[in-house]
Amino acid sequence: TAAVVVVDRMAGRCIVGNVGDSEIVLGGRHPDGSTFAQAITEVHHLKRSEAEAKRITDIGGRVWKGRLGHPKISPQVLSLSVSRAIGDLFFKDEKFTGGVASGLTADPYINSLEAFNGSMQQEFLVIGCDGLWDTVTYEEAANVVLSKLSAGEEPQAISEALVRLARDAGSMDNIT
């Protein structure tokens, strides 16, 4: 899994990319004080993305209970929750798939958007994996970040607060 951000403040642009279970959220506060939070990357979890499930079935891959099934082995034994990943050669290499497409790809989602142009009172990015986003909503994360920023906290402390929030909400996954 990977998520990448390039911020060009001079141009007021933010370029993002992701593969796997990491997502990037742009959040902040409007001049009227209201909070906003929106994902600016694509969701690659089959349970959360009908478009990715359709992409897989359209090329002959198997979707089983919201998971990517291996083309030769029962999905009860071997399946993935993500549809895009850098690794997982067992789903990509012909010697393991028998030449049958699984649908797993390392092709990233890439997005370029206008951001950080002064139209918002505060703006920030949160890069997190499914250990965070499975238990914390984008809005909850934005509220924590804004609260901590208002208190003058450093990025490390804000990150640790988000990890605690996910853990306290029941995340059993890695929280990065």
Side-chain angles (χ1 to χ4, degrees), residues 14-140:
C14 181
I15 302 161
V16 298
N18 76 311
V19 173
D21 61 6
S22 294
E23 296 176 58
I24 302 171
V25 170
L26 172 66
R29 193 178 311 279
H30 293 287
D32 68 4
S34 62
T35 300
F36 75 92
Q38 77 177 69
I40 56 175
T41 51
E42 192 174 72
V43 175
H44 296 151
H45 270 265
L46 294 176
K47 286 182 180 178
R48 294 175 48 208
S49 176
E50 288 181 30
E52 280 295 285
K54 182 177 181 339
R55 180 186 67 76
I56 298 226
T57 57
D58 284 353
I59 63 168
R62 295 194 300 179
V63 175
W64 177 78
K65 295 188 177 186
R67 297 179 63 86
L68 176 67
H70 191 275
K72 288 179 63 179
I73 299 170
S74 169
Q76 292 177 309
V77 176
L78 187 60
S79 63
L80 298 173
S81 63
V82 293
S83 55
R84 296 177 187 250
I86 295 169
D88 298 302
L89 188 64
F90 202 63
F91 279 77
K92 295 176 184 170
D93 192 306
E94 286 186 12
K95 71 179 170 190
F96 301 118
T97 66
V100 178
S102 71
L104 185 68
T105 181
D107 293 342
Y109 170 81
I110 299 174
N111 187 16
S112 176
L113 62 143
E114 187 176 316
F116 308 105
N117 59 10
S119 64
M120 301 295 155
Q121 186 176 355
Q122 288 180 311
E123 285 181 288
F124 56 84
L125 295 164
V126 176
I127 304 171
C129 67
D130 60 335
L132 175 65
W133 301 125
D134 284 352
T135 57
V136 176
T137 68
Y138 304 143
E139 293 76 20
E140 288 171 326

